[in-house]
Amino acid sequence: MSALSAPRAGRTISPDFATKAFNRLATTCLVVFALIWLVPFAWALITSLRPNDEITANPVDFWGSSWTLDAYSKAWDANPIGWWYVNSLLISMLAVVFTVAVCSMIGFALAHLDFRGKPVLVAVVLAGIMMPMESLVLPQFMQLRAFHLLGTYWALILPAIAAPVAVFIFRAFFRQIPESLIDAARIDGVGWWRIYLQICMPLCRPATSAVAILTFISTWNAFLLPLLVLTQTKSQTIPVGLSSLIGGSAIQYAETMASSILGILPLFAAFLLLQRRIVQSVAQTGIR
């Protein structure tokens, strides 16, 4: 029996084989998902470089007979894309500044201060993470109309500041700071504001980077609320402005794709410049 069972026992999968199989499976999944994202982008880029008559004749052809940049110049001249860039950039940057400032203070208070109703407030913040943002659009629109903020940048900045995810990230990171460090500062007579500004905030740079990156991307890509609160063409953001190009009976596919490429260039450039910081922020703050 032992002689017969010995070969069967030797057939067990080795750890090296399991590791190689897992690595190949993970690589295959990454390649597939990368293609899912890159193929539409490549198709949009190639379409923006083809003439409209050629696109109409064969819209799915990846390789055209002629290439031109006329669609980019026509899209820039026919639409206020420059204003859309300025609006999106100002709204996103101001949203980042105010979100980091407000949510970091809330996260610090929930992590190190003791006050009545703290567990209830933590539960409310966690509940806000599970609530879809689309369900809050109508109440936010009514509030903004009551405060006469429709058509202004503040109509998009103020809702972006109330970010439960940012509060959760800062709270989780502040709780990792040793209590002994906070107690030593309190014994030396340091106030809570100095502890927050001079001790805790310099130590939570990964959390600050993560919140800033997530806020900038989500604010730049926001569509539903800007569509409702920004009525004038020049005050629109990039996503809303691009959606207005698709309408009517005759769609200029090359100009539409060129406008889309121009709209995603800032995010693409920001990712290329900050990809190392993005990975470090996600890893150190525990985002999954």
Side-chain angles (χ1 to χ4, degrees), residues 115-161:
F115 53 89
R116 183 179 299 178
K118 179 179 176 180
V120 177
L121 184 57
V122 173
V124 170
V125 173
L126 294 178
I129 298 177
M130 298 180 290
M131 183 176 298
M133 300 304 298
E134 289 78 8
S135 62
L136 302 176
V137 171
L138 182 58
Q140 289 176 350
F141 179 82
M142 297 176 64
Q143 291 177 353
L144 295 172
R145 184 178 60 181
F147 287 103
H148 304 285
L149 293 176
L150 295 180
T152 64
Y153 289 162
W154 294 108
L156 299 178
I157 296 172
L158 293 178
I161 296 175

Side-chain angles (χ1 to χ4, degrees), residues 41-150:
F41 175 77
W43 181 78
L45 179 61
I46 294 173
T47 304
S48 66
L49 298 175
R50 298 172 59 194
N52 279 308
D53 53 354
E54 187 177 323
I55 297 173
T56 305
N58 193 358
V60 296
D61 186 12
F62 266 75
W63 303 106
S65 59
S66 60
W67 305 94
T68 177
L69 295 175
D70 293 340
Y72 288 90
S73 60
K74 292 180 180 179
W76 186 271
D77 296 335
N79 305 289
I81 298 180
W83 283 104
W84 298 344
Y85 268 118
V86 173
N87 297 332
S88 296
L89 185 61
L90 287 177
I91 293 172
S92 300
M93 293 301 296
L94 290 175
V96 167
V97 172
F98 285 104
T99 300
V100 170
V102 174
C103 293
S104 62
M105 288 188 287
I106 298 175
F108 177 80
L110 295 178
H112 293 293
L113 299 183
D114 293 327
F115 53 89
R116 183 179 299 178
K118 179 179 176 180
V120 177
L121 184 57
V122 173
V124 170
V125 173
L126 294 178
I129 298 177
M130 298 180 290
M131 183 176 298
M133 300 304 298
E134 289 78 8
S135 62
L136 302 176
V137 171
L138 182 58
Q140 289 176 350
F141 179 82
M142 297 176 64
Q143 291 177 353
L144 295 172
R145 184 178 60 181
F147 287 103
H148 304 285
L149 293 176
L150 295 180

